[in-house]
Amino acid sequence: SIPVADIDDVLAGKKKYAGHFNRQSLFVKMLETYPWFTIIRFFTIGEVKEMLTPGTIKKLRMPSLQRKYEFVQKRLSRIISAAE
C-alpha cells in the first residue's frame, strides 16, 4: 500500500524511501518481479551496472534469478568496458 508517486520519487532520486523501500531494495524487488526489458525502462544501463553487484544478486531469492543476473552483470561489465 505504498503510493505510486512515492515509488516514482525514490526511483528518480527525489526521496530516500517509499515505505520501507529505498532505491536499491526497489531495484531488487523489480529484478524478482519484472522482465529485463521493463527494468531497463526505469533505469539506465549505467545505473543497472552500478546497482547490479554481487551483494545485490545474493539478495535475490531464487537461485535461477541469481544465475541469470550473474550472467547479465558479467555481460554488462564487458560491454560497457569495451565501449569506454
Side-chain angles (χ1 to χ4, degrees):
S1 63
I2 300 169
V4 174
D6 289 351
I7 292 171
D8 287 341
D9 286 346
V10 170
L11 292 176
K14 296 177 185 175
K15 289 179 81 172
K16 288 195 178 222
Y17 290 94
H20 66 279
F21 290 100
N22 63 20
R23 194 165 195 259
Q24 185 69 30
S25 59
L26 280 172
F27 180 68
V28 170
K29 187 71 170 170
M30 291 173 78
L31 291 175
E32 292 180 331
T33 308
Y34 295 108
W36 173 247
F37 292 105
T38 301
I39 293 167
I40 60 173
R41 289 177 57 197
F42 288 95
F43 301 98
T44 67
I45 295 297
E47 290 172 324
V48 171
K49 182 183 179 228
E50 181 181 307
M51 291 192 295
L52 192 60
T53 65
T56 299
I57 293 168
K58 286 181 183 178
K59 290 178 184 176
L60 299 172
R61 293 176 286 175
M62 295 174 47
S64 61
L65 277 178
Q66 289 177 356
R67 288 188 299 274
K68 173 184 175 178
Y69 283 107
E70 284 171 352
F71 174 78
V72 168
Q73 179 194 33
K74 289 175 188 172
R75 295 294 292 168
L76 284 176
S77 293
R78 287 186 202 142
I79 291 168
I80 291 176
S81 294
E84 296 176 332

